[in-house]
Amino acid sequence: HRRLPAVIPTPPVSASPFPNPKSQYCCLSRNFSAALTPLLPVQLPSRMETHLWYVVPDEVKSAPLLSKYMELLPQSERDHVLGFRGDQLQKSALLARTLVRTTIARYQVDGHLDPRSLRFKRNIHGKPEVEWETKDGFCPPPLQFNISHTSSLVACGVTMNSLIGIDVEEKRRRTKNNILAFAKRYFTAHEVEHLNAIPDSELQQQEFIKLWTLKEAYVKALGKGFSSSPFNTFTIRVNTAAQESFCASSGIAVETLDSPQNLTNNWQFALLELMGSHYVAICLERQETGGAGKAFPIKLTARKTIPSVEDELVSGTNAVVTIGGSVTQF
């Protein structure tokens, strides 16, 4: 995952609840790990359905709860979390790994799953996948997931059968450099032209972040990442009447410059505004089409959660607004 480079850091939403993460985790994890609320099972996504789970780090303020989450991780992941510099980054990394483990465990694909028991592997490009234990008569489910996080939001997308990539970015992020100069470095000529056609600087900034988020979601769905699929090797096209900005009816497509035949017959996108403060892009491998070769809308179920504490179904509310792509919320 490649975060937006050369940005002015966003001020932290609030101070971390623990001044010394290492000492807090070490002394609290043993005392509170057994008190985690049992995970309620959730039905697996249906075909062409995406489950979006997200956590707001600022709403997780309990040091004992964070210590419980740390206890869910193997030592290698704990070391990775504590390797980040600063409380906010450590907290975000911890919540990301906790969200993945507790979410996948809730789908109960192999009887009762303890989130501690899950093992992960990475493909050759570093994208994580579940490493299911081989058992007699057990057929691993075609479950796919992807994670993205900022210091102010952690999100996990889950599908069945379809490869998925997601990315989240804060709407208020700002680049240090001129937007168009920055875009010329990372984007294709078509995308730069798209941005240049927007006269309002604030709208131009927002469109830049939307494009970045969509491009990030695409390379993550491919499972390759930025280094293997640089952003200037493919174009995100927005199909709107005015061709000026995204809207709820926008068709979003991708075409690769090195392989034009790979025009987005294989992929479809959703662009969402979450809580009025973040953009979320979802890229899915398209499995089937409706009439005239058109893709069925993405079925989206979104839940805001604090793992092992509470869930809130937010799809269909003002918390999740579709601003691009074809999406049906449940």
Side-chain angles (χ1 to χ4, degrees), residues 256-276:
T256 57
L257 303 187
D258 54 347
S259 301
Q261 69 273 16
N262 290 335
L263 190 64
T264 170
N265 289 334
N266 297 329
W267 304 96
Q268 63 187 116
F269 294 84
L271 183 61
L272 312 170
E273 185 179 278
L274 206 57
M275 305 186 303

Side-chain angles (χ1 to χ4, degrees), residues 9-301:
T10 302
V13 178
S14 68
S16 172
F18 37 88
N20 187 333
K22 289 189 177 182
S23 62
Q24 286 279 30
Y25 286 139
C26 291
C27 68
L28 291 175
S29 60
R30 290 178 177 270
N31 297 331
F32 292 93
S33 62
L36 283 172
T37 302
L39 298 170
L40 296 176
V42 176
Q43 186 174 356
L44 285 164
S46 62
R47 194 170 183 82
M48 290 310 297
E49 180 182 11
T50 299
H51 287 179
L52 178 66
W53 301 78
Y54 69 91
V55 180
V56 180
D58 189 44
E59 296 180 359
V60 186
K61 300 180 179 180
S62 166
L65 180 60
L66 292 167
S67 296
K68 300 174 196 177
Y69 291 161
M70 185 64 93
E71 188 71 11
L72 297 178
L73 309 184
Q75 189 60 51
S76 60
E77 292 188 21
R78 298 184 199 183
D79 292 341
H80 180 81
V81 168
L82 295 175
F84 284 91
R85 298 182 63 180
D87 293 346
Q88 288 290 336
L89 291 178
Q90 288 185 1
K91 183 178 181 182
S92 179
L94 172 60
L95 290 175
R97 291 172 181 269
T98 300
L99 180 61
V100 168
R101 286 181 172 274
T102 56
T103 297
I104 293 175
R106 296 180 70 165
Y107 288 108
Q108 306 292 305
V109 295
D110 185 25
H112 175 71
L113 277 179
D114 186 332
R116 298 174 180 84
S117 70
L118 288 168
R119 296 292 179 266
F120 298 90
K121 60 182 179 181
R122 293 182 180 272
N123 68 13
I124 59 174
H125 302 291
K127 185 177 182 180
E129 303 169 348
V130 181
E131 187 172 21
W132 300 104
E133 292 186 14
T134 302
K135 298 180 181 178
D136 293 339
F138 173 64
C139 181
L143 185 149
Q144 301 285 336
F145 75 93
N146 198 228
I147 191 82
S148 181
H149 60 92
T150 69
S151 61
S152 56
L153 186 72
V154 179
C156 179
V158 181
T159 63
M160 292 287 285
N161 299 296
S162 297
L163 296 175
I164 181 174
I166 71 169
D167 188 51
V168 300
E169 298 290 351
E170 297 175 356
K171 291 176 60 177
R172 62 180 177 176
R173 292 188 75 88
R174 294 292 183 270
T175 60
K176 293 180 180 179
N177 303 318
N178 175 271
I179 282 294
L180 291 179
F182 194 71
K184 288 176 182 178
R185 179 180 177 186
Y186 289 99
F187 289 0
T188 64
H190 173 82
E191 292 164 339
V192 173
E193 181 181 352
H194 170 78
L195 292 172
N196 194 41
I198 304 173
D200 184 274
S201 60
E202 180 62 27
L203 290 178
Q204 188 182 78
Q205 173 76 30
Q206 295 302 305
E207 291 298 303
F208 170 83
I209 297 175
K210 294 172 189 175
L211 281 172
W212 184 281
T213 308
L214 288 163
K215 291 171 83 73
E216 183 73 60
Y218 173 65
V219 299
K220 292 177 72 178
L222 291 176
K224 294 183 176 181
F226 181 88
S227 60
S228 298
S229 298
F231 283 1
N232 59 6
T233 62
F234 63 92
T235 295
I236 297 292
R237 291 186 176 271
V238 184
N239 182 22
T240 63
Q243 288 290 320
E244 292 180 352
S245 61
F246 293 91
C247 64
S249 60
S250 298
I252 304 172
V254 59
E255 64 178 25
T256 57
L257 303 187
D258 54 347
S259 301
Q261 69 273 16
N262 290 335
L263 190 64
T264 170
N265 289 334
N266 297 329
W267 304 96
Q268 63 187 116
F269 294 84
L271 183 61
L272 312 170
E273 185 179 278
L274 206 57
M275 305 186 303
S277 57
H278 292 76
Y279 293 126
V280 178
I282 301 173
C283 178
L284 289 181
E285 182 184 28
R286 186 164 63 173
Q287 297 294 317
E288 55 191 44
T289 60
K294 294 183 178 180
F296 289 113
I298 294 174
K299 303 173 184 177
L300 178 71
T301 300

